[in-house]
Amino acid sequence: MKNAPAVYAALFLGVLAISTSAIFVKFADAPSSAIAFYRLGISALVLLPFLLFSRKRLREVRSLSRKQFLLIAFSGILLGIHYVMWFESLRYTSIASSVVLVCLQPLFSLIFALILFREIPRKSSVVGCLVAIFGCFIIGMADFRISGMALFGDILAFLAAGGVALYFITGQKVRESTGAVTYSVFSYGIGTAFLLIYALIRGDALAGFSAGTWAALFGLAFIATIGGQFLFNLLLKRVSATAVTMSILGEPVGTCILAYLIFGDVVSLQQFAGICLILIGLSTYFLWPVLKEKIDGVLHDNHARL
């Protein structure tokens, strides 16, 4: 991977930004459909000028094929469904339970990449993924509730993980020939339209919120979406969807840190152990292939000298 340090730094910043999602959602006193609608709608409006005032991107829009547009529309609807299911899960289960289950997305990504692209994952990728996911479960284990409406919330979070994994897989395909701004504006816009229809059918309120809720909605758009999710869309040109979803496994770590800074929540020994496992898993996934390549190179050079 060229410029690996810069890519890893960007992934880190994206994870840090997206770690604010659950906290903003908890602060937003609005229906799940409205939260998702404004999150995507505001984000699309923020990015729209970068599309409209760029001749290159406007030419790109005009050259979109029917297949490309359908893939973008599909990804937008997937993202809308993901947000609705995840936000709704937070109303029935805890932040930790919901975030941990949503973090199963790299496992879905590995499966989807194998089925759709015939991408056979490296052993180190599978090991790193499983170790990091186990770390996520360690963090949320004490907070899991497996009965009543909490179980319903956990199921929604699980389905949301599959939805966002398929969104990034679709985005990986689209980004092969489409710019990040064009892709994001259209996918966010289509997702917004889908969520508007969904909210109207349900009869959910889209206005009359408190100032605190509006602040949370703008925080979701500018920090979690533009600073996090859009950054991942940019990186899909450089890294696979599995790598992006794998990096998002760092979200529980960021959430624990932010919960400590904002709410004063103490990081327990169990959470610390989970954080360590997540970091070990991420290191195995991202750094082991690079380290192995260097080791193989040194061994090859030594063998050539002999």
Side-chain angles (χ1 to χ4, degrees):
M1 184 192 301
K2 294 181 179 180
N3 299 321
V7 172
Y8 292 157
L11 284 171
F12 173 79
L13 291 175
V15 170
L16 187 62
I18 209 167
S19 297
T20 63
S21 294
I23 292 174
F24 280 129
V25 171
K26 280 292 188 182
F27 276 129
D29 185 17
S32 299
S33 59
I35 296 173
F37 169 75
Y38 284 111
R39 175 174 185 170
L40 286 186
I42 294 171
S43 300
L45 289 175
V46 170
L47 294 174
L48 186 60
F50 295 96
L51 175 65
L52 296 179
F53 295 103
S54 171
R55 292 182 179 179
K56 178 182 177 181
R57 294 187 180 112
L58 289 176
R59 285 197 300 269
E60 184 179 57
V61 171
R62 288 192 290 267
S63 66
L64 286 176
S65 66
R66 181 181 180 184
K67 179 181 178 180
Q68 287 174 309
F69 185 78
L70 288 176
L71 282 173
I72 293 172
F74 178 62
S75 70
I77 293 172
L78 278 174
L79 190 59
I81 292 173
H82 160 72
Y83 283 143
V84 166
M85 288 193 295
W86 183 41
F87 294 166
E88 197 65 26
S89 77
L90 289 168
R91 302 197 179 281
Y92 295 100
T93 191
S94 65
I95 288 181
S97 295
S98 182
V99 169
V100 166
L101 286 168
V102 166
C103 282
L104 289 173
Q105 54 191 273
L107 201 56
F108 282 103
S109 292
L110 287 173
I111 295 171
F112 291 147
L114 178 63
I115 295 173
L116 298 175
F117 303 143
R118 298 292 188 265
E119 292 182 4
I120 300 176
R122 300 185 303 265
K123 290 182 180 179
S124 61
S125 298
V126 176
V127 171
C129 179
L130 294 177
V131 170
I133 287 175
F134 183 65
C136 292
F137 274 96
I138 292 296
I139 288 177
M141 188 183 299
D143 204 30
F144 271 117
R145 289 167 285 178
I146 54 174
S147 62
M149 297 309 293
L151 177 61
F152 177 64
D154 291 340
I155 292 172
L156 287 176
F158 180 79
L159 294 175
V164 77
L166 191 54
Y167 165 78
F168 280 119
I169 287 288
T170 306
Q172 178 183 332
K173 184 66 177 176
V174 174
R175 286 284 286 117
E176 291 176 358
S177 56
T178 308
V181 172
T182 301
Y183 168 60
S184 298
V185 168
F186 276 91
S187 63
Y188 293 172
I190 291 169
T192 301
F194 166 80
L195 289 165
L196 176 61
I197 295 171
Y198 175 79
L200 292 175
I201 290 175
R202 284 177 52 89
D204 291 336
L206 294 174
F209 307 134
S210 67
T213 293
W214 283 114
L217 294 176
F218 276 93
L220 274 170
F222 280 93
I223 299 177
T225 306
I226 302 296
Q229 206 274 330
F230 172 69
L231 182 57
F232 294 143
N233 285 346
L234 280 170
L235 293 172
L236 283 174
K237 192 82 170 181
R238 305 285 300 279
V239 298
S240 68
T242 302
V244 169
T245 55
M246 185 68 190
S247 69
I248 296 175
L249 284 181
E251 184 175 350
V253 178
T255 300
C256 286
I257 294 172
L258 290 173
Y260 169 75
L261 295 175
I262 296 172
F263 302 117
D265 291 353
V266 177
V267 177
S268 67
L269 181 61
Q270 178 177 318
Q271 288 174 320
F272 180 75
I275 288 172
C276 290
L277 283 173
I278 291 173
L279 295 177
I280 291 171
L282 292 176
S283 298
T284 302
Y285 182 92
F286 287 107
L287 300 182
W288 173 248
V290 178
L291 182 61
K292 184 177 183 299
E293 184 179 342
K294 290 184 177 181
I295 293 173
D296 290 342
V298 171
L299 292 176
H300 181 270
D301 290 342
N302 290 337
H303 180 72
R305 288 170 188 162
L306 295 173

